[in-house]
Coordinates of all heavy atoms in Angstrom, one line a residue:
K289 N -60.5 -34.8 -41.4 CA -61.3 -34.5 -42.6 C -62.8 -34.5 -42.3 O -63.6 -33.6 -42.7 CB -61.1 -35.6 -43.7 CG -59.6 -35.7 -44.1 CD -59.3 -36.8 -45.1 CE -59.5 -38.2 -44.5 NZ -58.6 -38.5 -43.4
S290 N -63.3 -35.6 -41.5 CA -64.7 -35.7 -41.2 C -65.1 -34.5 -40.3 O -66.2 -34.0 -40.5 CB -65.0 -37.0 -40.6 OG -64.6 -38.1 -41.4
T291 N -64.2 -34.2 -39.3 CA -64.6 -33.1 -38.4 C -64.7 -31.8 -39.2 O -65.6 -31.0 -39.0 CB -63.4 -32.9 -37.4 OG1 -63.2 -34.2 -36.8 CG2 -63.9 -32.0 -36.2
V301 N -71.0 -36.8 -39.8 CA -70.2 -37.9 -40.2 C -69.5 -38.4 -38.9 O -69.1 -37.6 -38.1 CB -69.2 -37.5 -41.3 CG1 -68.2 -38.6 -41.6 CG2 -69.9 -37.1 -42.5
Y302 N -69.3 -39.7 -38.8 CA -68.7 -40.3 -37.7 C -67.2 -39.8 -37.5 O -66.4 -39.9 -38.5 CB -68.7 -41.8 -37.9 CG -68.1 -42.7 -36.8 CD1 -68.7 -42.7 -35.6 CD2 -67.0 -43.5 -37.1 CE1 -68.1 -43.5 -34.6 CE2 -66.4 -44.3 -36.1 CZ -67.0 -44.3 -34.9 OH -66.4 -45.1 -33.9
A309 N -61.5 -44.2 -39.5 CA -62.9 -44.1 -39.0 C -63.8 -44.0 -40.2 O -64.9 -44.6 -40.2 CB -63.0 -42.9 -38.1
T310 N -63.4 -43.3 -41.3 CA -64.3 -43.2 -42.4 C -63.8 -44.1 -43.5 O -62.7 -44.1 -43.9 CB -64.2 -41.7 -43.0 OG1 -64.4 -40.8 -41.9 CG2 -65.2 -41.5 -44.1
D330 N -66.2 -36.0 -48.2 CA -65.2 -36.5 -47.3 C -65.0 -38.0 -47.7 O -66.0 -38.7 -48.0 CB -65.8 -36.5 -45.9 CG -65.0 -37.2 -44.8 OD1 -63.8 -37.2 -45.0 OD2 -65.6 -37.7 -43.9
T331 N -63.8 -38.5 -47.7 CA -63.6 -39.9 -48.1 C -62.6 -40.6 -47.3 O -62.1 -40.1 -46.3 CB -63.3 -39.9 -49.7 OG1 -63.4 -41.2 -50.1 CG2 -62.0 -39.3 -50.0
Ligands
LIG258 MG1 -63.1 -39.5 -41.3

Side-chain angles (χ1 to χ4, degrees):
K289 302 173 294 297
S290 304
T291 313
V301 173
Y302 180 66
T310 307
D330 172 33
T331 188

